[in-house]
Amino acid sequence: MRIADRLRIQLADQLSIPLTPADDDTALLELGLDSVIATAFIEFVRQEFAPGISISVLFDCPTITLLANRLAAIGSQESGVQLPVEVSDQEAPVEVS
């Protein structure tokens, strides 16, 4: 399962609303993310993808697509393995140095 899919499923569950891949480029705040849900959502992100990630990543990467790209970049830096992430036509991939 792609990173974006896992993020979307978790966020939909926490927001108690249906989300589709079309929502991946919608701002998290527009989807209904608030401070309480953001705290729970970032805990999921830490447990599943990046233990040391700051909650501020949700401001730096304000959509599911951007967050998935950042997590894929972090994962490939840490493990040397490219995680599956699908990049939309509108967003450029995060470059790993």
Side-chain angles (χ1 to χ4, degrees), residues 7-90:
L7 294 172
R8 184 182 335 98
I9 290 166
Q10 181 66 26
L11 189 59
D13 184 55
Q14 290 179 337
L15 293 171
S16 299
I17 62 170
L19 294 175
T20 68
D23 296 311
D24 288 359
D25 294 316
T26 302
L28 298 172
L29 294 174
E30 288 180 30
L31 295 174
L33 187 77
D34 61 22
S35 60
V36 174
I37 295 170
T39 302
F41 186 59
I42 202 66
E43 282 305 314
F44 166 79
V45 171
R46 287 176 181 145
Q47 290 175 5
E48 296 294 317
F49 302 105
I53 202 160
S54 169
I55 196 166
S56 66
V57 74
L58 299 178
F59 298 102
D60 297 336
C61 303
T63 67
I64 290 171
T65 297
L66 291 173
L67 182 56
N69 289 342
R70 174 73 57 89
L71 294 172
I74 290 169
S76 47
Q77 283 177 341
E78 291 177 356
S79 68
V81 175
Q82 183 68 34
L83 298 174
V85 62
E86 188 172 298
V87 179
S88 75
D89 294 335
Q90 297 174 349

